[in-house]
């Protein structure tokens, strides 16, 4: 079969790598992909939000299955548009993807259906200034729309809250409505399922590291590294997440007339008072996918097709025992401004067994690999346990370098002994 993957980051490299292993694949395309992905799939130079051209490409080339990586094309109705003309595509339609693309929608849905989440109120950007004058501190401020990880501010003082609201001004319409949310204290966990809209199969857990520097310092990024599974996820907690969060959310979306198909990602906070949803995402996480997909033994093409056909009951997901970790190698300055075009050394040297390199922002020019993004590469290592995976990843990172490269040295460190 012919498969098209939409996206061009590390998550999509991991998806293409996994899909390429399916014996059913005859031809694999990726739009727009990246230089690393070009070694295993044919790159199609169409941006992820140019839905007209993606639809035409899939139609003309008779693509059997399209797989959506990032959230932006979901918000642009890619799934609706493909399905309207009978093309098979894996991911939620726009109305269901609102669970990620509108925090106002997702908070209202959770409140209406009793899904545990922090108390919140929604106000206009202007009115938020008055509200924060009298709220309890710390307070969490979120913009309604997509903000590439920059739409959340945790303010410990009124001055920080005002600065946060001022910062949201440059986000345009995404910040028309502001969610003022109760601050929750606890441990964070990312939990993933694949669903046909009714039945959901757990895909397991991962823990992301969003801050740029060691010790969770510095500004938020798209994610500087992750590990999987999370030792926080006991079988009892997994059943609780399924019964209190995932199943009621899928039922709620169906009742609201927007059943959800695809991978659903719940960002959870485990507090002393119990389990809360921080947010939902309508896709795999990046870099969480780079830790979860390499641990999955089952053919991911079979799983996606089963979800599309409503027969997930026939799928038995099998996983590698042990753990995995992904370290992100970033350009100097990221998540702020950074240089591109630095030569990457050591990228083609053979990697030890159990270590994989996923490209996020690279190009190949005149015989050299160059940096082309903020997050440049991800090193994923598998091990019998998290400690072994960590050792492997941090040993492999030494073989790669580029000017001003930086990465966190404490990915998974706090969890290593568990
Ligand atoms: P979100 O995009 O909603 O997941 O928020 C991004 C990050 O902000 C989360 O990963 C948490 O670290 C933090 N966060 C979000 N909401 C809360 C909350 N209510 N209490 C404490 N931290 C939060
Ligand atoms: N790593 C966080 C995300 O993909 O949203």
């Amino acid at each position: 079969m012919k498969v098209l993957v939409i996206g061009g980051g590390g998550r999509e490299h991991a998806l293409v790598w996994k899909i390429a292993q399916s014996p059913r694949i005859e031809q694999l395309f990726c739009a727009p992909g990246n230089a690393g992905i070009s070694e295993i799939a044919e790159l199609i130079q169409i941006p992820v939000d140019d839905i007209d051209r993606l639809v035409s490409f899939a139609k003309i080339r008779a693509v059997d299955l399209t797989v959506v990586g990032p959230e932006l094309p979901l918000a642009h109705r890619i799934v609706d548009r493909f399905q309207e003309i009978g093309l098979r595509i894996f991911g939620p339609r726009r109305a269901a993807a609102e669970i990620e693309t509108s925090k106002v929608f997702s908070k209202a849905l959770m409140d209406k259906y009793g899904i545990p989440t922090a108390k919140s109120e929604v106000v206009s950007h202007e009115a938020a200034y008055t509200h924060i004058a009298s709220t309890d501190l710390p307070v969490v401020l979120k913009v309604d729309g997509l903000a590439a990880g920059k739409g959340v501010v945790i303010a410990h003082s009124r001055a920080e809250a005002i600065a946060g609201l001022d910062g949201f001004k440059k986000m345009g319409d995404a910040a028309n409505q502001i969610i003022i949310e109760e601050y929750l204290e606890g441990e964070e966990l990312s939990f993933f399922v694949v669903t046909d809209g009714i039945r959901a199969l757990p895909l397991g857990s991962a823990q992301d590291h969003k801050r740029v520097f060691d010790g969770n310092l510095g500004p938020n990024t798209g994610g500087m590294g992750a590990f999987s599974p999370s030792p926080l996820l006991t079988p009892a907690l997994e059943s609780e997440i399924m019964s209190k969060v995932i199943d009621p959310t899928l039922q709620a979306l169906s009742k609201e007339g927007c059943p959800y198909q695809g991978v659903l990602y719940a960002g959870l906070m485990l507090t002393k008072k119990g389990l809360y949803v921080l947010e939902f995402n309508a896709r795999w996480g990046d870099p969480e996918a780079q830790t979860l997909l390499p641990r999955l033994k089952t053919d991911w093409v079979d799983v996606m097709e089963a979800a599309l056909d409503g027969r997930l009951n026939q799928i038995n997901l099998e996983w590698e025992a042990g753990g995995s970790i992904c370290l992100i190698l970033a350009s100097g300055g990221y998540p702020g401004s950074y240089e591109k075009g630095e030569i990457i050394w050591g990228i083609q040297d053979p990697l030890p067994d159990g270590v994989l390199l996923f490209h996020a922002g690279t190009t190949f020019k005149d015989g050299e690999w160059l940096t082309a993004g903020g997050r440049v590469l991800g090193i994923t290592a598998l091990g019998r346990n998290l400690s072994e995976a960590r050792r492997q990843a941090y040993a492999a990172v030494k073989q790669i370098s580029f000017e001003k490269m930086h990465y966190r040295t404490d990915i998974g460190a706090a969890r290593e002994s568990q």
Side-chain angles (χ1 to χ4, degrees):
M1 64 193 284
K2 294 187 198 171
V3 173
L4 164 66
V5 175
I6 309 289
R11 165 184 49 208
E12 287 75 28
H13 194 178
L15 270 168
V16 168
W17 169 85
K18 179 67 187 159
I19 290 168
Q21 290 165 37
S22 170
R24 298 168 59 201
I25 297 298
E26 292 154 39
Q27 222 175 349
L28 195 47
F29 305 106
C30 187
N34 64 39
I37 295 175
S38 74
E39 298 191 322
I40 40 176
E42 186 183 327
L43 299 192
I44 308 302
Q45 290 313 328
I46 305 177
V48 299
D49 58 353
D50 191 342
I51 312 300
D52 288 341
R53 286 177 64 205
L54 291 169
V55 167
S56 311
F57 175 83
K59 207 161 65 177
I60 291 163
R61 299 295 288 266
V63 169
D64 298 296
L65 175 64
T66 298
V67 182
V68 189
E71 60 280 17
L72 190 63
L74 300 173
H76 283 84
R77 300 184 68 247
I78 189 169
V79 175
D80 311 53
R81 293 279 309 279
F82 271 60
Q83 289 180 347
E84 277 158 19
I85 57 162
L87 289 169
R88 252 160 111 72
I89 182 162
F90 181 75
R93 288 192 206 142
R94 190 202 59 83
E98 262 205 306
I99 199 153
E100 167 167 10
T101 59
S102 166
K103 288 206 195 281
V104 170
F105 172 85
S106 95
K107 291 296 283 189
L109 187 86
M110 288 189 270
D111 287 342
K112 180 168 172 190
Y113 290 91
I115 295 149
T117 189
K119 279 198 210 85
S120 65
E121 48 188 334
V122 179
V123 296
S124 69
H125 184 266
E126 208 176 280
Y129 285 96
T130 322
H131 274 70
I132 56 166
S134 57
T135 51
D136 290 341
L137 293 170
V139 64
V140 183
L141 306 172
K142 299 183 178 183
V143 303
D144 174 39
L146 288 178
K150 297 194 177 80
V152 177
V153 165
I154 298 171
H156 295 268
S157 67
R158 310 248 172 247
E160 271 176 31
I162 292 168
L165 287 177
D166 289 346
F168 288 165
K169 278 183 192 152
K170 47 178 182 287
M171 292 181 185
D173 287 350
N176 283 349
Q177 296 190 87
I178 304 295
I179 294 113
I180 302 182
E181 192 171 285
E182 165 199 22
Y183 176 77
L184 298 173
E185 211 163 332
E187 295 216 66
E188 279 186 65
L189 172 74
S190 303
F191 186 78
F192 298 84
V193 297
V194 55
T195 176
D196 54 20
I198 297 167
R199 189 187 306 270
L201 292 185
L203 292 168
S205 61
Q207 278 178 252
D208 188 14
H209 298 63
K210 290 200 169 99
R211 302 293 183 128
V212 68
F213 300 126
D214 284 2
N216 295 325
L217 298 174
N220 265 336
T221 68
M224 289 298 290
F227 62 87
S228 165
S230 164
L232 299 169
L233 189 75
T234 58
L237 180 59
E238 179 169 306
S239 330
E240 193 186 340
I241 297 171
M242 292 304 287
S243 64
K244 289 194 180 154
V245 174
I246 303 296
D247 293 338
T249 300
L250 296 177
Q251 282 161 19
L253 286 166
S254 288
K255 271 201 197 132
E256 296 294 318
C258 44
Y260 189 103
Q261 259 186 0
V263 168
L264 179 65
Y265 158 173
L268 304 167
M269 184 77 97
L270 311 179
T271 75
K272 287 202 187 104
K273 289 194 285 175
L275 172 69
Y276 290 84
V277 178
L278 292 178
E279 64 163 353
F280 284 109
N281 292 313
R283 52 175 174 80
W284 286 101
D286 183 344
E288 291 95 325
Q290 293 93 303
T291 65
L292 281 154
L293 285 164
R295 291 184 40 242
L296 179 63
K297 291 205 249 177
T298 314
D299 186 330
W300 183 241
V301 176
D302 288 346
V303 181
M304 289 188 288
E305 291 224 298
L308 288 175
D309 297 339
R311 45 177 182 79
L312 278 176
N313 58 331
Q314 294 171 7
I315 297 285
N316 178 28
L317 294 174
E318 287 189 79
W319 299 89
E320 299 285 354
S324 63
I325 191 163
C326 176
L327 311 178
I328 297 296
L329 313 185
S331 293
Y334 173 79
S337 57
Y338 50 82
E339 302 277 323
K340 292 183 186 175
E342 303 290 357
I343 296 175
I344 308 171
W345 306 102
I347 190 169
Q348 276 180 316
D349 296 348
L351 292 160
D353 271 357
V355 179
L356 300 159
L357 193 62
F358 293 123
H359 293 227
T362 62
T363 51
F364 188 70
K365 214 172 152 195
D366 302 331
E368 268 171 333
W369 288 89
L370 305 173
T371 65
R375 293 193 289 181
V376 176
L377 292 165
I379 293 183
T380 293
L382 298 160
R384 276 169 300 182
N385 49 42
L386 180 59
S387 306
E388 191 181 82
R390 249 196 120 224
R391 267 198 309 278
Q392 290 258 64
Y394 279 107
V397 84
K398 297 213 169 72
Q399 77 181 54
I400 291 173
S401 65
F402 52 86
E403 193 66 26
K404 299 203 186 124
M405 170 176 117
H406 71 95
Y407 60 91
R408 279 185 60 162
T409 65
D410 63 348
I411 304 298
R415 290 283 151 207
E416 200 174 19
S417 53
Q418 294 185 21

